[in-house]
Amino acid sequence: MLPNEKKPPFTELYEGNFARINRYLRYRLADPWEADDLTAQVFLRALEKYASFRADVPAHVWLFRLAHNLLVDHYRREQSRPRRLDMEKALAELVAVAADTPEERLLQEEELRQLRLCLLQLPADYQEVLSLRYGADLKFAEIGRVLGRSEAIVRVWHWRGLKALRRAFQEWRDKKRGEWECPETNKAKQMAAR
């Protein structure tokens, strides 16, 4: 929405952004019920503040800023480090790759579990950027507005997060590939190394 445009009715704002806000919060919280509750709080807060909403920023960016702030408040109330998202479920929704056989399905599930573990090793800022980028489908400039950071910083965190994730996952795959070799091959390699 441009600054001079009239605000849309709140129902349009709700219907057009509910799924994206909910998906973003599900990325950031381990418990889907908590994410649903927080989504409801976002829209309740938005409804309360809608009369004072200025159309100088896009409405969806304003909503994501509200969601981010409520999420930070939620973490503070928990008085602990943010619980990590359930990436297995989130990635299963995003990576809708059909497995032809049960063996392929098991391999996919194992890779998703490992990818989740790799993601958990990322700094919280990188996780936040990746969640907003892929979970909420926001552009870098919008993510910057939500987080109160410059677009350049967001792009750097995104690039570094993906690079670290790719490296960690590849190391795991290389290690796993070595374990999948037959025992005779591993024994031959050990003897050759002596």
Side-chain angles (χ1 to χ4, degrees), residues 10 39-49:
F10 187 78
T39 302
Q41 290 177 32
V42 167
F43 284 99
L44 180 61
R45 176 90 40 101
L47 182 59
E48 291 169 352
K49 296 181 178 236

PDB file of all heavy atoms in Angstrom, residues 10 39-49:
ATOM      1  N   PHE A  10     -10.247  -3.875   7.577  1.00  0.00           N
ATOM      2  CA  PHE A  10      -9.471  -4.793   8.406  1.00  0.00           C
ATOM      3  C   PHE A  10      -9.685  -6.249   7.997  1.00  0.00           C
ATOM      4  O   PHE A  10      -8.764  -7.054   8.060  1.00  0.00           O
ATOM      5  CB  PHE A  10      -9.794  -4.609   9.896  1.00  0.00           C
ATOM      6  CG  PHE A  10      -8.901  -5.408  10.780  1.00  0.00           C
ATOM      7  CD1 PHE A  10      -7.610  -4.981  11.055  1.00  0.00           C
ATOM      8  CD2 PHE A  10      -9.325  -6.615  11.320  1.00  0.00           C
ATOM      9  CE1 PHE A  10      -6.767  -5.724  11.851  1.00  0.00           C
ATOM     10  CE2 PHE A  10      -8.483  -7.367  12.119  1.00  0.00           C
ATOM     11  CZ  PHE A  10      -7.198  -6.921  12.392  1.00  0.00           C
ATOM     12  N   THR A  39      -0.637 -15.891  16.909  1.00  0.00           N
ATOM     13  CA  THR A  39      -1.232 -15.335  15.688  1.00  0.00           C
ATOM     14  C   THR A  39      -2.523 -14.589  16.027  1.00  0.00           C
ATOM     15  O   THR A  39      -2.751 -13.475  15.540  1.00  0.00           O
ATOM     16  CB  THR A  39      -1.519 -16.447  14.658  1.00  0.00           C
ATOM     17  OG1 THR A  39      -0.309 -17.133  14.360  1.00  0.00           O
ATOM     18  CG2 THR A  39      -2.105 -15.875  13.377  1.00  0.00           C
ATOM     19  N   ALA A  40      -3.331 -15.194  16.864  1.00  0.00           N
ATOM     20  CA  ALA A  40      -4.570 -14.526  17.283  1.00  0.00           C
ATOM     21  C   ALA A  40      -4.258 -13.226  18.021  1.00  0.00           C
ATOM     22  O   ALA A  40      -4.931 -12.203  17.807  1.00  0.00           O
ATOM     23  CB  ALA A  40      -5.388 -15.460  18.170  1.00  0.00           C
ATOM     24  N   GLN A  41      -3.230 -13.236  18.857  1.00  0.00           N
ATOM     25  CA  GLN A  41      -2.841 -12.025  19.579  1.00  0.00           C
ATOM     26  C   GLN A  41      -2.369 -10.936  18.623  1.00  0.00           C
ATOM     27  O   GLN A  41      -2.636  -9.751  18.845  1.00  0.00           O
ATOM     28  CB  GLN A  41      -1.738 -12.338  20.586  1.00  0.00           C
ATOM     29  CG  GLN A  41      -2.191 -13.154  21.764  1.00  0.00           C
ATOM     30  CD  GLN A  41      -1.033 -13.495  22.681  1.00  0.00           C
ATOM     31  OE1 GLN A  41      -0.081 -12.735  22.815  1.00  0.00           O
ATOM     32  NE2 GLN A  41      -1.115 -14.657  23.311  1.00  0.00           N
ATOM     33  N   VAL A  42      -1.656 -11.337  17.569  1.00  0.00           N
ATOM     34  CA  VAL A  42      -1.189 -10.357  16.582  1.00  0.00           C
ATOM     35  C   VAL A  42      -2.376  -9.624  15.978  1.00  0.00           C
ATOM     36  O   VAL A  42      -2.390  -8.389  15.903  1.00  0.00           O
ATOM     37  CB  VAL A  42      -0.352 -11.038  15.470  1.00  0.00           C
ATOM     38  CG1 VAL A  42      -0.128 -10.100  14.289  1.00  0.00           C
ATOM     39  CG2 VAL A  42       0.973 -11.532  16.017  1.00  0.00           C
ATOM     40  N   PHE A  43      -3.378 -10.370  15.564  1.00  0.00           N
ATOM     41  CA  PHE A  43      -4.510  -9.731  14.907  1.00  0.00           C
ATOM     42  C   PHE A  43      -5.406  -8.985  15.897  1.00  0.00           C
ATOM     43  O   PHE A  43      -6.020  -7.982  15.533  1.00  0.00           O
ATOM     44  CB  PHE A  43      -5.284 -10.736  14.061  1.00  0.00           C
ATOM     45  CG  PHE A  43      -4.560 -11.044  12.781  1.00  0.00           C
ATOM     46  CD1 PHE A  43      -3.782 -12.186  12.665  1.00  0.00           C
ATOM     47  CD2 PHE A  43      -4.603 -10.163  11.717  1.00  0.00           C
ATOM     48  CE1 PHE A  43      -3.080 -12.447  11.495  1.00  0.00           C
ATOM     49  CE2 PHE A  43      -3.907 -10.414  10.545  1.00  0.00           C
ATOM     50  CZ  PHE A  43      -3.144 -11.557  10.430  1.00  0.00           C
ATOM     51  N   LEU A  44      -5.428  -9.433  17.128  1.00  0.00           N
ATOM     52  CA  LEU A  44      -6.152  -8.682  18.150  1.00  0.00           C
ATOM     53  C   LEU A  44      -5.470  -7.338  18.394  1.00  0.00           C
ATOM     54  O   LEU A  44      -6.117  -6.294  18.426  1.00  0.00           O
ATOM     55  CB  LEU A  44      -6.234  -9.487  19.448  1.00  0.00           C
ATOM     56  CG  LEU A  44      -6.975  -8.823  20.599  1.00  0.00           C
ATOM     57  CD1 LEU A  44      -8.425  -8.549  20.216  1.00  0.00           C
ATOM     58  CD2 LEU A  44      -6.906  -9.701  21.837  1.00  0.00           C
ATOM     59  N   ARG A  45      -4.155  -7.381  18.528  1.00  0.00           N
ATOM     60  CA  ARG A  45      -3.394  -6.136  18.703  1.00  0.00           C
ATOM     61  C   ARG A  45      -3.539  -5.239  17.479  1.00  0.00           C
ATOM     62  O   ARG A  45      -3.685  -4.021  17.601  1.00  0.00           O
ATOM     63  CB  ARG A  45      -1.922  -6.477  18.947  1.00  0.00           C
ATOM     64  CG  ARG A  45      -0.974  -5.325  19.052  1.00  0.00           C
ATOM     65  CD  ARG A  45      -0.749  -4.760  20.427  1.00  0.00           C
ATOM     66  NE  ARG A  45      -0.646  -5.665  21.516  1.00  0.00           N
ATOM     67  CZ  ARG A  45       0.493  -6.054  22.086  1.00  0.00           C
ATOM     68  NH1 ARG A  45       1.638  -5.634  21.625  1.00  0.00           N
ATOM     69  NH2 ARG A  45       0.473  -6.863  23.115  1.00  0.00           N
ATOM     70  N   ALA A  46      -3.500  -5.835  16.292  1.00  0.00           N
ATOM     71  CA  ALA A  46      -3.658  -5.046  15.066  1.00  0.00           C
ATOM     72  C   ALA A  46      -5.027  -4.384  15.014  1.00  0.00           C
ATOM     73  O   ALA A  46      -5.138  -3.214  14.629  1.00  0.00           O
ATOM     74  CB  ALA A  46      -3.454  -5.934  13.845  1.00  0.00           C
ATOM     75  N   LEU A  47      -6.054  -5.112  15.416  1.00  0.00           N
ATOM     76  CA  LEU A  47      -7.403  -4.543  15.426  1.00  0.00           C
ATOM     77  C   LEU A  47      -7.493  -3.378  16.415  1.00  0.00           C
ATOM     78  O   LEU A  47      -8.081  -2.338  16.107  1.00  0.00           O
ATOM     79  CB  LEU A  47      -8.424  -5.617  15.776  1.00  0.00           C
ATOM     80  CG  LEU A  47      -9.892  -5.196  15.772  1.00  0.00           C
ATOM     81  CD1 LEU A  47     -10.299  -4.679  14.395  1.00  0.00           C
ATOM     82  CD2 LEU A  47     -10.775  -6.359  16.188  1.00  0.00           C
ATOM     83  N   GLU A  48      -6.864  -3.546  17.584  1.00  0.00           N
ATOM     84  CA  GLU A  48      -6.870  -2.480  18.586  1.00  0.00           C
ATOM     85  C   GLU A  48      -6.152  -1.229  18.087  1.00  0.00           C
ATOM     86  O   GLU A  48      -6.559  -0.114  18.394  1.00  0.00           O
ATOM     87  CB  GLU A  48      -6.202  -2.963  19.875  1.00  0.00           C
ATOM     88  CG  GLU A  48      -6.983  -4.021  20.615  1.00  0.00           C
ATOM     89  CD  GLU A  48      -6.183  -4.679  21.742  1.00  0.00           C
ATOM     90  OE1 GLU A  48      -4.955  -4.418  21.858  1.00  0.00           O
ATOM     91  OE2 GLU A  48      -6.783  -5.468  22.490  1.00  0.00           O
ATOM     92  N   LYS A  49      -5.082  -1.416  17.305  1.00  0.00           N
ATOM     93  CA  LYS A  49      -4.265  -0.291  16.848  1.00  0.00           C
ATOM     94  C   LYS A  49      -4.592   0.155  15.427  1.00  0.00           C
ATOM     95  O   LYS A  49      -3.947   1.060  14.911  1.00  0.00           O
ATOM     96  CB  LYS A  49      -2.776  -0.668  16.933  1.00  0.00           C
ATOM     97  CG  LYS A  49      -2.311  -0.929  18.337  1.00  0.00           C
ATOM     98  CD  LYS A  49      -0.838  -1.267  18.352  1.00  0.00           C
ATOM     99  CE  LYS A  49      -0.394  -1.473  19.769  1.00  0.00           C
ATOM    100  NZ  LYS A  49       0.705  -0.630  20.124  1.00  0.00           N
TER     101      LYS A  49
END
